[in-house]
Amino acid sequence: MQRMIKFFSELSRRRVTRVAAGYIVVVWALSLGFAELFPVFGLGDWAVRAFIALGLMGLPIAILFAWKYDLTSDGIVRDPKDFPASPLTPGKLRTWAELQQADSIPVPLKARWTDADGEDRNGRFIETVLIGRDACNDISIADPRVSRLHMMLWNEPDGWYARDLNSSNGSFIDGKRLDCRTLVPSKCELRMHPYGPSILLEIIDEDATLLTLHGNSRRG
């Protein structure tokens, strides 16, 4: 039931139903006009029926277009909620995450993990966090069970979210595998691989406005 509610909510947000209804109205109005115009050119009712059939065949295309794209003051753009297409890169992921957190108030996230040298590390973040084996990640863990780009965390108006980045061994929050975009609890444990390296997370409840003045995330 919850999935159905989310699905119809997403249809509304992307204006799919509005576009579909508008498309049908336009096709119907044009067919009425052509019904009056076609006889002038010697075309019978078959031409009107053919036009309506072609118009209805184009309805799925209009629905798909409305789902994938949005009409803005900058022109037709891809819906910002759509996840970047593969191959995934740090630049693509950060740009996408920035669009999701555009209207959110930065809420700090504290992380604790162990690096490749066995040293305990601490970090505090208010922006996108990329986790993986490569050094380009915000949290880099040199472990063979960890993919180069393994998972990401980002902030939205209703909280922090986590997502696996098609990693080889999966990502887990408190033992539960991430299959999709998942809201992060106030305190939890992340793992790359069921028995792989762990990261302890805690969402910090403090004045986010003061933290905003400090700019980007601070890492220990």
Side-chain angles (χ1 to χ4, degrees):
M1 186 63 181
Q2 189 67 23
R3 289 185 177 181
M4 290 296 294
I5 293 174
K6 288 183 178 180
F7 175 71
F8 285 110
S9 175
E10 190 68 6
L11 284 179
S12 177
R13 185 189 69 79
R14 295 178 185 244
R15 303 184 181 91
V16 172
T17 52
R18 188 183 307 176
V19 169
Y23 182 90
I24 292 173
V25 169
V26 169
V27 170
W28 180 251
L30 288 175
S31 66
L32 293 177
F34 289 155
E36 299 292 332
L37 183 63
F38 281 174
V40 176
F41 297 96
L43 300 174
D45 292 341
W46 64 268
V48 177
R49 289 195 293 269
F51 173 80
I52 294 175
L54 289 174
L56 292 178
M57 288 173 61
L59 179 59
I61 298 176
I63 291 174
L64 179 62
F65 189 88
W67 180 267
K68 289 290 184 181
Y69 297 94
D70 193 13
L71 183 62
T72 70
S73 57
D74 297 324
I76 298 174
V77 298
R78 190 175 180 89
D79 191 285
K81 288 289 184 180
D82 285 339
F83 202 64
S86 295
L88 298 176
T89 64
K92 278 185 183 180
L93 294 168
R94 293 186 193 281
T95 299
W96 176 85
E98 286 173 3
L99 293 173
Q100 315 314 305
Q101 59 195 25
D103 299 324
S104 63
I105 298 175
V107 176
L109 179 72
K110 183 179 179 181
R112 291 191 290 126
W113 72 99
T114 303
D115 64 16
D117 298 324
E119 296 184 7
D120 292 334
R121 300 289 304 274
N122 293 280
R124 185 162 62 177
F125 305 87
I126 59 173
E127 294 183 349
T128 308
V129 184
L130 297 180
I131 303 171
R133 196 171 69 246
D134 278 0
C136 66
N137 292 282
D138 302 286
I139 297 179
S140 178
I141 301 178
D143 186 291
R145 294 168 292 185
V146 179
S147 297
R148 296 180 185 278
L149 272 173
H150 197 106
M151 68 180 302
M152 69 181 294
L153 306 166
W154 71 95
N155 195 15
E156 290 194 22
D158 57 340
W160 280 87
Y161 282 85
R163 180 165 184 154
D164 182 80
L165 301 177
N166 303 320
S167 65
S168 299
N169 294 312
S171 301
F172 301 80
I173 291 185
D174 291 335
K176 184 178 180 180
R177 185 170 190 138
L178 296 182
D179 294 322
C180 58
R181 167 181 175 271
T182 302
L183 187 64
V184 175
S186 57
K187 289 185 179 181
C188 64
E189 179 189 54
L190 297 184
R191 279 194 181 273
M192 282 61 69
H193 186 282
Y195 306 104
S198 67
I199 302 173
L200 299 179
L201 297 180
E202 180 180 357
I203 298 174
I204 304 172
D205 183 17
E206 59 182 59
D207 187 1
T209 304
L210 179 62
L211 287 173
T212 304
L213 299 176
H214 288 78
N216 296 328
S217 60
R218 293 174 293 173
R219 289 170 285 182

